[in-house]
Amino acid sequence: MKKAKQILAILGIIVLVGLYASTIVAALLDSTSTMNYLIAAVGATIIIPVFIWVIEIFLKITPSNSSNNEELFGQSSSNKDDDSNQD
C-alpha cells in the first residue's frame, strides 16, 4: 500500500512538472498556445492530486487478499461451518 502511494505521488509530480515546464517553454518562445498550456497546468494542479487521493481511498477500501475479506465479513468460512453443525 505504501509503495503504491509513493508511485502515484511520483507520477503526479512528474506530470505536474512536465506541464509547468511546457508552459514556461511556450511562454519563453512566445507561442500562441501559451494560455492553453497555462490553463491546463492550473487545472491539472487541482485535478491530479484529487485523482491520486481518490485512488488511494479506493486502494484502502478494496480488499487485497482473503484475510481482508474475513475482516470485512466478520467471520471466516470455517466458522460458518461450525455454527451450522451446532444446531
Side-chain angles (χ1 to χ4, degrees), residues 43-74:
T45 301
I46 297 167
I47 293 171
I48 289 174
V50 170
F51 183 68
I52 291 172
W53 178 74
V54 168
I55 291 173
E56 287 179 3
I57 295 296
F58 180 74
L59 288 174
K60 204 179 281 187
I61 64 171
T62 303
S64 60
N65 59 27
S66 62
S67 66
N68 284 344
N69 287 339
E70 291 174 6
E71 291 173 7
L72 286 174
F73 297 114

Side-chain angles (χ1 to χ4, degrees), residues 10-24 41 44-45 48:
I10 290 170
L11 286 175
I13 290 169
I14 291 170
V15 169
L16 288 175
V17 168
L19 282 170
Y20 299 149
S22 66
T23 302
I24 291 172
T45 301
I48 289 174

Side-chain angles (χ1 to χ4, degrees), residues 76-86:
S76 66
S77 59
S78 62
N79 288 344
K80 290 179 184 178
D81 293 338
D82 292 340
D83 291 341
S84 62
N85 291 336
Q86 292 177 355

